[in-house]
Short mmCIF file of all heavy atoms in Angstrom, two decimals:
data_model
loop_
_atom_site.label_atom_id
_atom_site.label_comp_id
_atom_site.label_asym_id
_atom_site.label_seq_id
_atom_site.Cartn_x
_atom_site.Cartn_y
_atom_site.Cartn_z
N ALA H 6 -25.05 -0.88 59.05
CA ALA H 6 -26.43 -1.11 59.48
C ALA H 6 -26.52 -2.39 60.31
O ALA H 6 -25.64 -3.25 60.26
CB ALA H 6 -27.32 -1.24 58.26
N HIS H 13 -37.89 -4.06 49.75
CA HIS H 13 -38.46 -3.22 48.70
C HIS H 13 -37.38 -2.28 48.15
O HIS H 13 -36.57 -1.76 48.92
CB HIS H 13 -39.60 -2.38 49.29
CG HIS H 13 -40.25 -1.48 48.29
ND1 HIS H 13 -41.30 -1.87 47.52
CD2 HIS H 13 -39.98 -0.20 47.93
CE1 HIS H 13 -41.67 -0.87 46.72
NE2 HIS H 13 -40.87 0.16 46.96
N ARG H 15 -37.21 1.12 45.60
CA ARG H 15 -37.76 2.12 44.69
C ARG H 15 -36.58 2.78 43.99
O ARG H 15 -35.65 3.25 44.64
CB ARG H 15 -38.56 3.18 45.43
CG ARG H 15 -38.90 4.37 44.50
CD ARG H 15 -39.94 5.27 45.05
NE ARG H 15 -41.22 4.58 44.89
CZ ARG H 15 -42.39 5.15 45.19
NH1 ARG H 15 -42.42 6.36 45.68
NH2 ARG H 15 -43.51 4.50 45.01
N LEU H 28 -35.63 23.03 22.32
CA LEU H 28 -36.36 22.64 23.52
C LEU H 28 -35.56 21.58 24.28
O LEU H 28 -34.50 21.14 23.81
CB LEU H 28 -37.75 22.10 23.15
CG LEU H 28 -38.69 23.13 22.50
CD1 LEU H 28 -39.98 22.47 22.06
CD2 LEU H 28 -38.97 24.29 23.45
N SER H 40 -38.73 -7.92 46.99
CA SER H 40 -37.75 -9.02 46.99
C SER H 40 -38.43 -10.38 47.20
O SER H 40 -37.75 -11.40 47.25
CB SER H 40 -36.69 -8.78 48.06
OG SER H 40 -37.30 -8.71 49.33
N ALA H 41 -39.74 -10.38 47.31
CA ALA H 41 -40.50 -11.63 47.45
C ALA H 41 -41.74 -11.53 46.58
O ALA H 41 -42.10 -10.44 46.12
CB ALA H 41 -40.90 -11.84 48.91
N ARG H 50 -52.52 -8.48 39.82
CA ARG H 50 -51.93 -9.80 39.58
C ARG H 50 -50.70 -10.03 40.45
O ARG H 50 -50.09 -9.08 40.93
CB ARG H 50 -51.58 -9.96 38.10
CG ARG H 50 -50.45 -9.08 37.62
CD ARG H 50 -50.12 -9.38 36.15
NE ARG H 50 -49.04 -8.56 35.67
CZ ARG H 50 -47.75 -8.80 35.88
NH1 ARG H 50 -47.36 -9.85 36.56
NH2 ARG H 50 -46.82 -7.99 35.39
N LEU H 69 -36.15 27.11 27.75
CA LEU H 69 -35.19 27.63 28.73
C LEU H 69 -35.83 28.53 29.79
O LEU H 69 -35.18 28.87 30.77
CB LEU H 69 -34.03 28.36 28.04
CG LEU H 69 -32.98 27.46 27.43
CD1 LEU H 69 -31.86 28.29 26.78
CD2 LEU H 69 -32.39 26.51 28.45
N LYS H 72 -40.82 26.51 30.87
CA LYS H 72 -42.25 26.37 30.58
C LYS H 72 -42.49 25.02 29.91
O LYS H 72 -41.77 24.64 28.98
CB LYS H 72 -42.72 27.49 29.67
CG LYS H 72 -44.21 27.43 29.35
CD LYS H 72 -44.61 28.58 28.46
CE LYS H 72 -46.07 28.44 28.06
NZ LYS H 72 -46.46 29.51 27.14
N VAL H 73 -43.53 24.32 30.37
CA VAL H 73 -43.87 23.00 29.83
C VAL H 73 -44.59 23.18 28.50
O VAL H 73 -45.66 23.80 28.44
CB VAL H 73 -44.74 22.20 30.82
CG1 VAL H 73 -45.15 20.86 30.22
CG2 VAL H 73 -44.01 22.00 32.15
N TYR H 85 -52.80 -2.26 39.62
CA TYR H 85 -54.14 -2.53 39.12
C TYR H 85 -54.18 -2.33 37.61
O TYR H 85 -53.43 -1.49 37.08
CB TYR H 85 -55.16 -1.59 39.80
CG TYR H 85 -55.22 -1.80 41.29
CD1 TYR H 85 -54.59 -0.92 42.15
CD2 TYR H 85 -55.89 -2.88 41.83
CE1 TYR H 85 -54.63 -1.11 43.53
CE2 TYR H 85 -55.95 -3.09 43.20
CZ TYR H 85 -55.32 -2.21 44.05
OH TYR H 85 -55.35 -2.41 45.40
N GLY H 89 -52.75 2.89 34.52
CA GLY H 89 -52.27 3.77 33.45
C GLY H 89 -53.33 4.61 32.78
O GLY H 89 -53.00 5.52 32.01
N HIS H 90 -54.59 4.37 33.08
CA HIS H 90 -55.66 5.10 32.40
C HIS H 90 -55.64 6.60 32.68
O HIS H 90 -56.17 7.38 31.90
CB HIS H 90 -57.03 4.53 32.78
CG HIS H 90 -57.23 3.12 32.31
ND1 HIS H 90 -58.31 2.38 32.69
CD2 HIS H 90 -56.50 2.31 31.51
CE1 HIS H 90 -58.23 1.18 32.14
NE2 HIS H 90 -57.13 1.11 31.43
N LYS H 96 -51.44 15.91 30.62
CA LYS H 96 -51.38 16.98 29.60
C LYS H 96 -51.86 18.31 30.20
O LYS H 96 -51.54 19.37 29.68
CB LYS H 96 -52.23 16.62 28.39
CG LYS H 96 -51.70 15.46 27.57
CD LYS H 96 -50.54 15.87 26.71
CE LYS H 96 -50.14 14.74 25.77
NZ LYS H 96 -48.89 15.05 25.06
N ALA H 142 -27.04 26.44 29.95
CA ALA H 142 -27.67 27.12 28.81
C ALA H 142 -28.39 28.38 29.27
O ALA H 142 -28.35 29.41 28.60
CB ALA H 142 -28.62 26.17 28.09
N LYS H 150 -26.28 40.09 31.48
CA LYS H 150 -27.47 40.78 31.94
C LYS H 150 -27.41 40.92 33.47
O LYS H 150 -27.06 39.97 34.16
CB LYS H 150 -28.73 40.01 31.57
CG LYS H 150 -28.98 39.90 30.08
CD LYS H 150 -30.23 39.08 29.81
CE LYS H 150 -30.42 38.85 28.33
NZ LYS H 150 -31.55 37.94 28.07
N GLU H 167 -28.96 33.85 53.06
CA GLU H 167 -28.63 35.16 52.47
C GLU H 167 -27.34 35.77 53.01
O GLU H 167 -26.74 36.63 52.35
CB GLU H 167 -29.79 36.13 52.64
CG GLU H 167 -30.17 36.42 54.06
CD GLU H 167 -31.48 37.18 54.17
OE1 GLU H 167 -32.26 37.20 53.21
OE2 GLU H 167 -31.70 37.74 55.24
N PRO H 170 -21.37 32.49 52.63
CA PRO H 170 -20.32 32.75 51.65
C PRO H 170 -20.72 32.41 50.21
O PRO H 170 -20.32 33.11 49.27
CB PRO H 170 -19.16 31.85 52.11
CG PRO H 170 -19.39 31.66 53.58
CD PRO H 170 -20.89 31.66 53.75
#
Side-chain angles (χ1 to χ4, degrees):
H13 180 89
R15 169 166 285 185
L28 295 175
S40 60
R50 68 177 181 81
L69 282 180
K72 181 179 176 183
V73 177
Y85 298 102
H90 295 172
K96 292 283 187 189
K150 295 178 186 174
E167 61 191 17

